Amino acid sequence: MSTPYPFTAIVGQDDLRLALLLNAVSPAVGGVLVRGEKGTAKSTAVRALSVLIPEISVVVGCRFSCDPGAPDPACPDGPHEGGGGAARPARMVELPVGASEDRLVGALDIERALAEGVKAFEPGLLADAHRGVLYVDEVNLLHDHLVDLLLDAAAMGASYVEREGVSVRHASRFLLVGTMNPEEGELRPQLLDRFGLTVEVAASREPDLRVEVVRRRLAYDDAPAAFAARWAEEENALRARIVAARALLPEVRLGDAALRQIAATCAAFEVDGMRADIVMARTATTLAAWAGRTVVLAEDVRQAALLALPHRRRRNPFDAPGLDEEKLDDTLEEFGGGDGEGDRDSEGDRDDSPDDEADDEADDDPEPDGPGDGPGDGGPPPQDGPPEAPRDSSAPPEPAESDEAGPPPAPGGGERSAVRSAEPFRTKVLSVPGLGEGAAGRRSRARTDHGRTTGARRPRGTLTKLHLAATVHAAAPHQRARGRSGQGLVVRRDDLRQATREGREGNLVLFVVDASGSMAARRRMSAVKGAVLSLLLDAYQRRDKVGLITFRGREATVALPPTSSVDAAAVRLETLPTGGRTPLSAGLMKAHDVLRVERMRDPARRPLLVVVTDGRATGGPDPVALGGRAARLHAAEGTASVVVDCESGPVRLGLAAALAGDLGGTAVTLDELRAESVAGLVRDVQGAYRDAGSRGSRGRAA
């Protein structure tokens, strides 16, 4: 077994270390989500924590880690009355992003269950992680069906495996730790809320700290065991502090004043539900125990808010996580009445013991940690750089202007500053026609592992979803030849049938946005950006990849290569300048190149091309015809497409509709894009043209 990097040797990252240690003291805090750029020791810190967690006692021979003092009465390996116990380290189980459902929850041998009535169950990762740590690297890339299983287990503390009337249940309570790079996409809100705490990590900009990081890492890589031995004393001291804090935790008092501060803070930041209040209370209590106190102070409440609220105050996926610390301090001061108020117990009695006064004095003057001094004591950590500012929704609106762009700017010039987008809205569902086989999502029809059953086939590899009727139908003709004598059905491997299912897939939604002078009127461009932002929000909810191409002046630009980070596309959209000529063909050809590369990278993910334009084209000889030829290249390859028609004014040329015809797709106006605007708008972006073609055929036949 490889030697893990010592936890106490990690340089800086005070928030990260503190959040992990609080969960090691009290798993009831609810786990940690670590957000940050690549190369910031996220995974290193999580793996190092597993060595510090105290050992647990388990029933000998139990595959589900039952506690000898309180065994699970429904344990598949039970009953455990009188079973002996043995101590072992708490496990840290890693869940790969591409894991199967059977690997996560366990596999049931359906063949033996049908033929012999035996529940032959092979435990999965949820069983291995019971009473330990479940670590998910790149948790934001986890497939939806695995997220659903994690949510169920985290909510109920148990895992259920159901297969055609045969069920197995076992306890599954674990500390959930996830790491993610926000550039690769955000996390589903349901799973985001399941993490008790969240921390943002970034590499230090201080040269001395960076030098120390490199020096320690090189020393560890050269001789891991020797490096770990140099930090053994600090590791043992930290492990002893975790044990002491666990022992002290039941004695910590959370007074009424602290509870009022917690409730007022959650209300002031408008977090949804009551989970935030509960997590803050548990975190503040654990912070007090970590500091060696039995009373929760205002500083504990403040630190708990900084760890528990940033990921819960986001109102939409494009809001940056974070907390207004000035507002937090004002709220705590208004409802706290000073640190002394935090010393009241639940009956309102004041605790003025000398020991507490000494603790208060020590807390008033905390000694800052150096580069290698180990984790902080619960106080606010130093910041390596300025915090990321949230989107300013209170900025004054843009001045009203005419909807017309005025005279066209000079070729290659006339750039206008970026226009703020209009408010997003709920859009109609645009989907790719046919039946795909791409990654699970929520947009287009596809063959998936989850969804409604549509048929049966012979299994390829391990059987996961049994089609019972088809299996019985395959086995029935052979019962006499197999010597069936009792009531049981004689089932062979060749009889088993896998259910085929139809669900939804995620697509690659590639936006091609006209940013030329003909679109440059502020009111019109604001509406266009609002529409694209609405489609981006829809893509986020449907688990799509997105890309953004803009064309203006003399060329088209890939503003954002295809990515799962929808909020990155929203940021690029907000800063999009406008002006210049309209190289429509360049935009469509750039889209053709991007889609060609993406088909090689991910052939199963089907694209949806969304062209946002008024259909005009300028520059070069016959630019409209050139744009039509570029559009027909997409049609020849069967790319599903929709044109969002942005033309306005009393005189309309209908160029966007003609472009949609060349693309083999359909055109919708900005108003028609709204979900509540036109009832019965075709969901399939090519459905209208297919229907029109069939009506024409019937008319000619008549």
Side-chain angles (χ1 to χ4, degrees), residues 1 48 62 133 209 269 287 356 376 388-389 427 429 432 585 598 658:
M1 181 178 178
C62 178
V133 179
L209 287 178
F269 286 98
L287 280 163
D356 289 332
E388 184 180 358
T427 66
V429 181
V432 179
S585 61
E598 286 301 308

Side-chain angles (χ1 to χ4, degrees), residues 38-70:
K38 51 188 176 293
T40 49
K42 300 187 297 293
S43 300
T44 299
V46 175
R47 294 187 176 98
L49 176 73
S50 63
V51 182
L52 300 176
I53 297 177
E55 290 186 337
I56 61 174
S57 180
V58 299
V59 174
V60 176
C62 178
R63 297 174 297 167
F64 302 88
S65 304
C66 280
D67 185 349

